[in-house]
Amino acid sequence: MRKVGIIDLGTNTFNLLLAEVKEEDYTIFYKTKIAVKLGEGGITKGFITAPAYKRGIDALTQYKAKLVKENITEFYAVATSAIRSADNGILFAQEVDDKLGIKINIIDGDTEADLIYQGVKQALDLGDSPKLIIDIGGGSTEFIIANSKETFWRKSYKLGAARLLETFNPANPINIDNVTAIDDYLEDALEEMLEMAEVYEVNCLIGSSGSFDTLAEMISCKNGNCELWKNDTSYQFLMTDYNGIQKTISESTLEQRLHMKGLVPMRADMIVIAVVIINYILNRLIIHDLRLSSYALKEGLIDTLITKNHPWQKSSL
């Protein structure tokens, strides 16, 4: 039995997950997240702004203290879109190493998609037919077409909610012209994904963590029990529930969303963009089967730690 720490440096949140690993199994005993918003103010310009930079260092300082308190010396940190696309991303990673002794793996989009897939297939049975898995981050969105046995296609796009929010700066509340502009942008950007979804006859959309967690919690709160969606590692959306909640989100102002049950403040602005992305995919591919995987990159990384032949992560030791 050994303890392992996972730090996921996302564009919106920095996540910490601690687990006990025994042979080829693990048990999560602690997890938390801090809203860092690393991409705020600079994601479309390709740099991490000074306030966001400081928030990132402060969050990792807290995480290092927790690792020390738990006597965990084996921990792995991975950075995704905001850091890999920023001109000062490598500088940030170097400062974190110098100050805190945390070595950050700045992973590419393909590796991120692979880890997300490894996490999702632990959360629910993907079956034999190809499913479309998406992970809407702040800086990028990963698309994976896969079943329980293999990945058929995957790609990471710079279509994260924070990036699109800063690019389009929609009205408050968002209006039809904003939605049309974003849809047109997605239609052009996602040409390859749309073609592959048709090739593999995808009829199910699985969203991993993040915005999909938020939607599931908001629906659960509306149905009288905010904890209901947490009963399992997966959640099946009723399309009537989803359509109702997306309409509420789309028609609301930021001020109104800040007071909605199940919607944490850090997602109140970006959830609108996430809904636009989800709606576009559901409508464009005519999908009526929408599910949530509460597992994503973090759980996928732990899974790789208890298997062999993953040399890319050795730099984190």
Side-chain angles (χ1 to χ4, degrees):
M1 181 82 70
R2 71 186 197 274
K3 289 183 178 180
V4 171
I6 300 294
I7 304 173
D8 171 14
L9 289 77
T11 301
N12 295 325
T13 59
F14 282 9
N15 301 272
L16 176 66
L17 186 152
L18 306 181
E20 291 182 335
V21 177
K22 184 178 181 182
E23 296 177 353
E24 295 193 355
D25 197 11
Y26 70 89
T27 302
I28 298 168
F29 67 89
Y30 179 84
K31 59 181 177 179
T32 190
K33 64 179 65 176
I34 297 175
V36 172
K37 291 199 170 184
L38 203 65
E40 190 172 59
I43 193 162
T44 59
K45 304 176 184 70
F47 71 96
I48 303 168
T49 64
Y53 197 105
K54 183 179 184 302
R55 290 195 298 269
I57 297 293
D58 290 347
L60 291 174
T61 300
Q62 293 183 49
Y63 287 171
K64 181 60 183 293
K66 179 64 175 178
L67 291 167
V68 170
K69 182 179 179 181
E70 296 288 343
N71 296 313
I72 296 175
T73 57
E74 185 181 357
F75 51 88
Y76 303 79
V78 293
T80 54
S81 183
I83 292 177
R84 70 172 171 249
S85 63
D87 291 339
N88 55 346
I90 293 177
L91 178 66
F92 178 86
Q94 186 61 57
E95 184 171 341
V96 169
D97 189 8
D98 293 343
K99 288 185 174 180
L100 301 173
I102 297 175
K103 297 184 185 298
I104 296 174
N105 281 291
I106 303 176
I107 61 175
D108 61 27
D110 285 346
T111 301
E112 184 175 359
D114 289 340
L115 291 173
I116 290 165
Y117 169 66
Q118 293 298 328
V120 169
K121 73 176 186 175
Q122 296 175 65
L124 70 163
D125 182 6
L126 294 175
D128 294 326
S129 63
K131 311 291 192 300
L132 177 60
I133 300 166
I134 70 170
D135 188 296
I136 303 174
S140 66
T141 295
E142 282 63 49
F143 293 82
I144 306 113
I145 297 176
N147 64 12
S148 61
K149 297 177 182 178
E150 62 182 313
T151 298
F152 302 107
W153 177 89
R154 82 274 198 265
K155 189 169 182 177
S156 177
Y157 292 87
K158 287 185 176 181
L159 296 173
R163 194 181 297 275
L164 293 180
L165 183 67
E166 198 164 300
T167 298
F168 288 93
N169 190 27
N172 183 31
I174 195 169
N175 60 44
I176 188 62
D177 290 338
N178 300 145
V179 174
T180 300
I182 297 170
D183 281 353
D184 289 345
Y185 187 79
L186 294 173
E187 182 72 20
D188 182 59
L190 295 175
E191 182 180 359
E192 182 182 353
M193 186 278 290
L194 295 170
E195 290 178 359
M196 299 309 293
E198 291 181 5
V199 167
Y200 287 101
E201 300 181 344
V202 166
N203 60 12
C204 173
L205 179 64
I206 299 172
S208 67
S209 195
S211 298
F212 291 90
D213 283 349
T214 298
L215 293 169
E217 183 157 354
M218 292 180 74
I219 289 169
S220 294
C221 288
K222 189 176 179 179
N223 291 337
N225 181 0
C226 290
E227 301 296 310
L228 184 63
W229 73 281
K230 298 179 181 179
N231 290 341
D232 201 349
T233 55
S234 65
Y235 178 86
Q236 177 76 56
F237 289 94
L238 296 178
M239 293 311 298
T240 52
D241 285 341
Y242 171 76
N243 288 330
I245 208 67
Q246 68 84 19
K247 186 173 186 292
T248 297
I249 290 168
S250 299
E251 294 177 350
S252 65
T253 64
L254 174 60
E255 293 72 25
Q256 290 171 328
R257 291 193 299 276
L258 286 169
H259 295 92
M260 290 182 182
K261 288 184 178 181
L263 177 54
V264 294
M266 71 175 180
R267 295 196 184 277
D269 52 357
M270 285 175 279
I271 192 65
V272 176
I273 301 296
V275 162
V276 172
I277 296 171
I278 297 166
N279 286 349
Y280 170 80
I281 295 169
L282 291 174
N283 294 330
R284 183 65 172 74
L285 298 178
I286 315 177
I287 291 175
H288 304 288
D289 184 356
L290 179 61
R291 309 177 197 177
L292 158 72
S293 163
S294 59
Y295 284 9
L297 185 149
K298 301 182 298 299
E299 292 80 10
L301 180 53
I302 289 187
D303 187 64
T304 69
L305 294 176
I306 59 179
T307 60
K308 306 296 182 183
N309 301 319
H310 293 279
W312 65 269
Q313 66 202 25
K314 298 299 184 187
S315 62
S316 294
L317 293 173

